[in-house]
Amino acid sequence: MINDCTGVILAGGRSTRYGGRNKALAPFGEGRLMDAVLRPMTEIFGEKILIVSRETGLYGDFGFPVVADVLPLPGAATGIHAGLFHAKTDIIFVVACDMPFIRPELIRLVLSHMHPPLLALFPCHGKNHLEPLCAAYHRDGLPVLESHILEGKSKVQWIFTGEQKGLVPEILLREADDDLKSFININSPEDARKAGGESFW
């Protein structure tokens, strides 16, 4: 278990491909999609987990603190900013609520490469595809995130530059997750069925 990092789950998406229904609470396997994400996260972080959502009242029964965005703008960058703002550790590991196959070994791998002066560390695979919602961030990045969000620059991959940003290459990622299933997103009921989850609604 990692003690100097907080696990942050972003649950603020609009779930547009679910017809506006909240996919984090949708049935998946033997529970809900959020339950599937929480299992590997609690293995790594124990009680040091935050759920970030604009609808804080929906997630109380998961047993972890639910915190709201600090900035009044939508987007993943705003959720990451909220996670850093509310966490009691300098480093957070962020995952989206629709990534039920995130592997503990991959989380450990990414965090093992998170060292100063990095403000953000992204898994990188394929043709330079970065995974900002399966990544590590440092509290010192808060001012950088905030200034870019307020300027309307919300693509997390582009916010951090130079020595602020690190990448974990695919060759290392596959040592922890050989088929890279950790990065699968469940965006629709059809995705859930293909992934072996139950049919939703």
Side-chain angles (χ1 to χ4, degrees), residues 90-148:
D90 286 339
I91 297 172
I92 65 172
F93 184 87
V94 172
V95 66
C97 69
D98 62 359
M99 300 175 74
F101 303 114
I102 178 73
R103 291 183 176 168
E105 296 81 5
L106 186 129
I107 298 173
R108 290 192 183 98
L109 172 70
V110 172
L111 288 173
S112 72
H113 289 80
M114 185 63 175
H115 303 295
L118 295 178
L119 301 181
L121 180 63
F122 304 111
C124 179
H125 58 94
K127 294 184 178 179
N128 203 34
H129 180 79
L130 307 188
E131 295 282 352
L133 299 188
C134 186
Y137 299 87
H138 195 281
R139 184 186 305 278
D140 289 347
L142 268 172
V144 180
L145 270 170
E146 184 165 332
S147 64
H148 280 74

Side-chain angles (χ1 to χ4, degrees), residues 2 18 33 42 57 68 73 78 82 98 106 133 143 150 152 162 173 181 199:
I2 296 174
Y18 278 104
L33 191 54
T42 53
L73 296 169
T78 298
D98 62 359
L106 186 129
L133 299 188
L150 294 177
L173 296 173
K181 283 189 70 174
S199 177

Side-chain angles (χ1 to χ4, degrees), residues 46 56 67 69 156 177 180:
T56 55
V67 298
D69 294 340
V156 183
D177 183 355
L180 301 184

